Amino acid sequence: MAELTYRDAVARGIAQEMTRDPDVVFLGEDVGKAGGVFKATVGLYEQFGPLRVRDTPISEQAILGAAMGAAMTGLKPIAEIMFSDFFAVCFDYIANEFPKSRYMSNGQTKCPLVVRTGNGAGSRFGAQHSQSVENWCMMIPGLKVVAPSTPRDVIGLMAAAVRDPDPVIFFEHKSLYATKGEVPDGEIVDTLGTAKIVRPGKDATIIALALMVPRANEAANRLKAEHGIDCEVVDVRSLVPLDTQTILGSVAKTNRLFTVEENPRLCGWGAEIVSIVADEAFYDLDGPPVRITTPHIPLPAADILEDIVLPTPDRIVETVKRSLGS
Amino acid sequence: MARMSDRAPGAAGSGLNDDIGEEKRLALYRSQVVLREAEQRAFDLFLQNLVKGTSHLSLGQEAVAAGFAEAMQKGDLSFCTYRGHAHTLARGVPVEKVLGELMQRDNGLMRGKGGSMHLTSEEHGVMGSYAIIGAHLPIACGAAWRAQYKGHKDVSVCFFGDGTTNIGAFHEALNFAAVWKLPVVFVCENNLYMEYTPIADVTAVQHPAADRASAYGLERIVIDGNDADVVYREAQKAYAKARAGNGPSLIECMTYRHSGHSRADPAKYRPEGELERWKLRDPIKIYRERLLQFGVSEKTIADIDARVRKEVDDATEACKAAPMPPLDILTTDVYADGGWAWRN
Ligand SMILES: Cc1ncc(C[n+]2csc(CCOP(=O)(O)OP(=O)(O)O)c2C)c(N)n1
Ligand SMILES: [Mg+2]
């Protein structure tokens, strides 16, 4: 066991897989010699050399296209897109190429790659460097989508993503890079498509992702301490595949459902979860499911404004308390 | 500097040069006839409402596909566009598989799941046909990167049109390939038009691909794309360069499509006489004359024509008799486990 930052866990996760499999290669802007703009890939260039850790030009389409061509023909590339907002300039690969080649070719074409990216708000970077775009990817058949919230999950899910035979979009949260967590020694391999109950409870289920997980935890602690409401917090971790069994199981126990989403409201991932629960567990519910999201606006830069728009522990506490009528 | 002068339609062919040899010449001829016959058949089947959806023919552009494919070795990889029937057939994919896909039957290359714009046959080195303009240039770079990384000797060959030179992915891929010295060959088929707009109306330079080559430190190459010998020789040079580790090439092939952009296009936007002028330089006509010049008999040529026609006839009948795809393939191969499950 050692304490590790989320940032260092990224490098350790990649290094674990590059050590295991010489076909794993890594490319992106400033990722090699510079160690990444978030310093999440420091040391990889020194450890694995310039043939496996490759600095690219500012060419997001070339980065993702090259990753795909390499994946189709036998490598296991990890590609970095520096900020997830930049998916918009290379979205063809994410929406049209990676996820459809296998289907269109009737199973001939493979695409085992990982795109990792800095997602989410909290850095006061404004509307084009702060978005949570996991829902852009969740809606595309053929992709897998994960978003870890702890250093341990970063390593384990990175390993699962690299070993997975499908294209996986791996969302790292920029505001979690500096956070720390206990990480076991040795190899860590997790499983895609598994949610985790990070805090058991009996009165309400709070489903959260990435940065919203620690916020939901903090809210749950306060709800218990200050209001006697015992919340179960579920870290979704993987939007596709989606572990609906864990979610439905939790709702069956608590009879109340809250989602805490950083993405803007329309078509956020929580809407799909609410819809599944409404379809399949309606009679388990003692009250309407409630979504706590960022409002449907572009993200502002100023700290005072950005802090208001993201779901906060305060907002979660207030919403749960009000909904449960306490 | 252009290695070859730009050829206007009607310019002389490449002259008598014995470097290619009779066996390869006959293969080049046969390939072009297969492409011509199969695509003309596709057009006839469209008129009979048996080819569904869209389709983009390469009638008139056969020399490019035949020349580049015949110069390839087994293991070399082709990346095509929606105008990819010719490049797919030129790698030896059976006519029945291609027509079957166009007719969206169960015997098609992808059993009707891809359609005419996405022909793929990895066992023949056809690594997909891409319908988003420019998308496959970076993908070809990635395949070439794998060859470089693993020390494989195959070359990735990427075909696209003149219109494609104005999208960002073209420029990203050219720079990327040049900087990484990748074994990739970019082949621009300049047929003078994007869909309906003349390329000259929307491009800052005369030769949309070749005049950009210097920006990426590459040689400016424009060739006669209607002469299969010229194409074949240029392909050999570019492949040898790539295999030797000397990086990418960008080759602009001047050619012309005889039909419209896609099946619905009567191509009314062409100036009068343009098609007729280019038909004087029909690649198959040029090549037939070339064979005769080299002493190949009329009978040998007629035998090839007859055998190809029979092959296409047989393929057509097989496709007409083939069943439609079964509904149970609807949800297969979304994910690598063979299924489509996104939840437990
Ligand atoms: C990104 C994108 N923009 C537009 C189109 C629509 N489109 C399909 S083919 C085509 C013309 C392409 O011209 P060119 O590259 O010269 O190829 P050609 O069809 O002549 O072979 C266009 C504009 C597309 N498929 N993808
Ligand atoms: Mg064109």
Side-chain angles (χ1 to χ4, degrees):
Chain A
M1 265 318 198
E3 190 165 71
L4 203 65
T5 61
Y6 187 98
R7 165 181 289 120
D8 292 340
V10 172
R12 181 168 143 191
I14 296 173
Q16 174 185 300
E17 294 309 296
M18 291 186 78
T19 304
R20 178 186 60 83
D21 182 352
D23 286 342
V24 179
V25 288
F26 176 43
L27 77 168
E29 294 160 19
D30 303 308
V31 299
K33 285 182 205 158
V37 295
F38 301 115
K39 296 283 170 238
T41 56
V42 171
L44 295 176
Y45 181 85
E46 290 71 18
Q47 190 178 350
F48 298 101
L51 290 183
R52 295 186 70 189
V53 178
R54 297 203 71 161
D55 285 317
T56 68
I58 306 166
S59 300
E60 278 75 12
Q61 299 191 72
I63 293 168
L64 293 194
M68 176 169 170
M72 286 167 67
T73 55
L75 297 185
K76 298 284 199 87
I78 303 172
E80 175 178 312
I81 298 295
M82 194 185 284
F83 286 78
S84 63
D85 313 68
F86 308 163
F87 277 13
V89 301
C90 50
F91 205 54
D92 178 38
Y93 295 94
I94 294 169
N96 291 321
E97 311 297 343
F98 303 160
K100 298 186 168 69
S101 56
R102 180 183 293 278
Y103 186 83
M104 292 195 304
S105 67
N106 192 36
Q108 294 177 66
T109 304
K110 60 183 175 180
C111 191
L113 57 79
V114 178
V115 180
R116 45 171 295 271
T117 189
N119 194 44
S123 306
R124 288 64 167 106
F125 286 167
Q128 297 178 342
H129 287 72
S130 308
Q131 296 172 84
S132 283
V133 305
E134 57 274 5
N135 55 334
W136 294 3
C137 298
M138 185 188 186
M139 61 177 74
I140 299 166
L143 292 180
K144 292 179 177 172
V145 183
V146 297
S149 71
T150 67
R152 183 192 175 129
D153 282 0
V154 165
I155 300 170
L157 290 175
M158 177 69 73
V162 171
R163 296 175 196 201
D164 195 85
D166 289 308
V168 181
I169 312 297
F170 192 93
F171 287 105
E172 295 160 17
H173 201 294
K174 297 195 288 291
S175 290
L176 290 174
Y177 278 131
T179 60
K180 291 183 175 159
E182 288 292 323
V183 172
D185 301 329
E187 189 182 72
I188 306 175
V189 187
D190 210 320
T191 312
L192 301 184
T194 53
K196 232 188 218 169
I197 296 173
V198 292
R199 183 191 191 285
K202 58 177 177 33
D203 297 331
T205 296
I206 304 177
I207 315 261
L209 185 78
L211 179 66
M212 297 299 106
V213 175
R215 293 188 178 192
N217 268 329
E218 187 187 328
N221 289 340
R222 278 173 39 195
L223 281 160
K224 176 82 174 150
E226 296 163 19
H227 306 285
I229 300 173
D230 185 17
C231 292
E232 177 147 302
V233 178
V234 177
D235 182 350
V236 198
R237 305 195 319 150
S238 172
L239 293 176
V240 185
L242 185 65
D243 181 2
T244 57
Q245 294 312 311
T246 297
I247 294 166
L248 291 166
S250 179
V251 171
K253 185 167 69 166
T254 66
N255 312 116
R256 293 302 303 251
L257 172 64
F258 297 84
T259 65
V260 187
E261 305 162 53
E262 187 175 331
N263 49 216
R265 185 159 187 99
L266 299 193
C267 303
W269 54 262
E272 188 59 49
I273 287 177
V274 167
S275 147
I276 290 169
V277 170
D279 275 350
E280 298 173 31
F282 187 73
Y283 296 106
D284 286 341
L285 290 169
D286 285 345
V290 178
R291 293 178 61 207
I292 302 163
T293 74
T294 298
H296 213 64
I297 57 173
L299 289 166
D303 52 4
I304 187 170
L305 300 176
E306 192 186 46
D307 284 344
I308 290 176
V309 297
L310 296 202
T312 55
D314 281 348
R315 180 135 67 95
I316 301 167
V317 167
E318 274 314 302
T319 308
V320 173
K321 191 162 62 93
R322 199 168 354 99
S323 301
L324 266 56
S326 353
Chain B
M1 272 290 286
R3 206 189 297 140
M4 290 243 345
S5 62
D6 308 345
R7 284 170 196 278
S14 60
L16 276 189
N17 177 342
D18 215 4
D19 58 337
I20 291 176
E22 178 158 312
E23 195 185 332
K24 189 48 92 177
R25 279 189 209 284
L26 290 178
L28 282 163
Y29 177 70
R30 185 183 179 282
S31 175
Q32 292 180 83
V33 176
V34 170
L35 311 190
R36 174 65 54 92
E37 291 289 330
E39 288 214 302
Q40 249 160 12
R41 183 61 49 88
F43 188 72
D44 294 345
L45 290 166
F46 156 58
L47 293 178
Q48 296 165 42
N49 203 25
L50 286 169
V51 164
K52 308 287 170 60
T54 187
S55 56
H56 305 78
L57 306 178
S58 301
L59 295 171
Q61 304 183 197
E62 293 89 348
V64 179
F68 276 97
E70 284 299 325
M72 286 182 202
Q73 297 174 3
K74 197 167 182 327
D76 288 339
L77 303 178
S78 304
F79 294 82
C80 322
T81 69
Y82 50 89
R83 197 180 303 289
H85 314 159
H87 295 292
T88 302
L89 290 164
R91 295 301 308 273
V93 176
V95 175
E96 181 192 329
K97 292 268 178 196
V98 171
L99 285 183
E101 190 64 26
L102 268 57
M103 292 165 72
Q104 308 189 343
R105 307 278 171 138
D106 199 33
N107 67 339
L109 207 41
M110 299 92 73
R111 302 183 73 189
K113 287 178 84 169
S116 100
M117 296 202 283
H118 298 292
L119 298 180
T120 305
S121 184
E122 293 204 357
E123 63 173 303
H124 295 91
V126 181
M127 302 303 288
S129 302
Y130 297 80
I132 309 293
I133 297 293
H136 61 317
L137 282 84
I139 296 172
C141 288
W145 174 32
R146 177 267 324 154
Q148 181 187 63
Y149 178 74
K150 292 229 180 204
H152 297 166
K153 281 294 163 206
D154 61 281
V155 178
S156 292
V157 188
C158 183
F159 302 96
F160 52 89
D162 44 278
T164 302
T165 63
N166 288 325
I167 203 162
F170 168 87
H171 298 273
E172 291 195 13
L174 262 292
N175 181 61
F176 194 87
V179 173
W180 287 20
K181 274 197 149 194
L182 296 174
V184 57
V185 176
F186 297 105
V187 181
C188 176
E189 297 184 70
N190 184 351
N191 59 13
L192 311 187
Y193 293 87
M194 25 197 278
E195 287 193 42
Y196 312 135
T197 302
I199 192 65
D201 290 0
V202 294
T203 309
V205 291
Q206 188 198 349
H207 281 288
D211 288 344
R212 268 89 171 242
S214 69
Y216 306 108
L218 299 175
E219 189 181 355
R220 181 183 188 282
I221 304 173
V222 181
I223 64 168
D224 179 356
N226 279 15
D227 185 330
D229 284 353
V230 171
V231 173
Y232 177 80
R233 289 193 194 101
E234 199 63 44
Q236 280 188 313
K237 257 186 276 180
Y239 300 166
K241 176 184 169 193
R243 280 190 237 283
N246 293 325
S249 301
L250 172 62
I251 301 167
E252 180 170 330
C253 307
M254 299 308 298
T255 186
Y256 195 79
R257 60 169 153 75
H258 290 175
S259 52
H261 164 72
S262 61
R263 62 175 223 175
D265 170 26
K268 291 261 164 53
Y269 43 82
R270 295 166 160 176
E272 212 173 316
E274 187 177 78
L275 174 62
E276 290 67 30
R277 274 201 309 285
W278 276 92
K279 278 196 166 169
L280 296 174
R281 303 213 64 253
D282 181 328
I284 294 183
K285 182 166 156 304
I286 290 175
Y287 215 74
R288 232 176 236 145
E289 283 160 15
R290 180 80 36 79
L291 291 183
L292 293 171
Q293 280 179 307
F294 272 97
V296 175
S297 70
E298 296 268 12
K299 176 165 183 331
T300 305
I301 295 173
D303 281 351
I304 293 175
D305 292 350
R307 271 200 308 267
V308 169
R309 174 120 352 126
K310 168 104 175 45
E311 187 185 329
V312 173
D313 284 345
D314 290 349
T316 306
E317 290 317 307
C319 291
K320 283 182 178 167
M324 297 299 166
L327 297 187
D328 62 9
I329 64 169
L330 207 53
T331 52
T332 59
D333 293 319
V334 178
Y335 292 102
D337 64 6
W340 67 304
W342 54 271
R343 58 171 286 189
N344 60 7

